[in-house]
Amino acid sequence: MATGALLDVVRGHRAEDAAEEKALARARELAAEAAPWSRATPLHFTASALVVAPRSGRVLLRWHQRQQQWLQVGGHADPGEELPLDIALREAAEETGLPDLAPWPDAALLHLVRVPVAPGRDEPAHEHLDLRFVLATRVPEQVRAEHPEAPLRWLEFTEARRLTGAANVRASLDRAERLLGAGG
């Protein structure tokens, strides 16, 4: 069974639109299953984050070679991992090199999105229930890409929305920008 932490995250989240409400209903079911993070299932959780630099009001996007678009950082749980925020923090640190990432303005879930994933080299088409958080850094100049095929860009929110091809990422950007505008 899933840990109480995953159940708490999905039970405590409030959807902002019909698509998120539908995803949230399925997430609540999946969170109670035996292996909600398992990549072996056609629908599983992932955790990601929009990384922001609150002083400059910018957001960081990463080029995802497989999807051929600019997206947030994040990914799959490693074996034994079950805490959504910890997974998002680890993935963000690995992909950005930023040493001081922290939940911002708090540890609340920003957005829950059900995302179709095209087949890859070693996996069939499947879906992610992506748990999205906001993480902040005070040292954006220390960013470094995980590898050359995954460049990173600090962007104003307007430009970030223009660059990403994913409507669900634009919705996450809108939410994060509202948080920044409200001062957290």
Side-chain angles (χ1 to χ4, degrees):
M1 289 296 269
T3 65
L6 176 57
L7 288 167
D8 288 347
V9 168
V10 297
R11 286 180 180 156
H13 185 65
R14 300 291 168 248
E16 288 190 22
D17 57 43
E20 188 176 21
E21 185 58 49
K22 189 174 178 180
L24 187 55
R26 183 61 183 106
R28 289 176 176 145
E29 294 169 2
L30 183 61
E33 293 179 12
W37 298 99
S38 174
R39 294 176 83 160
T41 61
L43 175 66
H44 52 269
F45 283 104
T46 54
S48 67
L50 287 173
V51 176
V52 298
R55 285 185 287 199
S56 69
R58 295 181 303 159
V59 63
L60 186 67
L61 292 183
R62 176 187 187 265
W63 178 253
H64 285 259
Q65 189 67 30
R66 181 173 171 195
Q67 288 90 355
Q68 290 292 294
Q69 60 184 322
W70 292 95
L71 302 171
Q72 77 282 1
V73 296
H76 292 91
D78 282 348
E81 287 184 315
E82 296 182 357
L83 302 175
L85 181 58
D86 288 354
I87 295 163
L89 280 161
R90 177 191 49 75
E91 285 281 342
E94 288 174 2
E95 294 180 16
T96 70
L98 291 167
D100 69 335
L101 292 171
W104 191 91
D106 55 37
L109 184 63
L110 175 74
H111 198 185
L112 171 67
V113 180
R114 191 168 180 165
V115 182
V117 179
R121 278 181 282 145
D122 299 325
E123 60 186 14
H126 60 281
E127 292 182 293
H128 293 164
L129 278 170
D130 192 36
L131 302 162
R132 295 184 182 163
F133 297 89
V134 177
L135 303 177
T137 181
R138 290 185 304 273
V139 291
E141 68 280 358
Q142 291 185 25
V143 72
R144 63 171 172 70
E146 184 176 25
H147 50 80
E149 297 81 31
L152 300 161
R153 290 184 62 186
W154 284 109
L155 303 160
E156 300 295 329
F157 278 86
T158 301
E159 186 178 8
R161 278 189 291 275
R162 184 182 60 74
L163 278 181
T164 187
N168 66 73
V169 175
R170 288 191 296 274
S172 294
L173 288 163
D174 290 346
R175 293 177 187 199
E177 186 176 33
R178 280 196 315 262
L179 283 174
L180 278 173

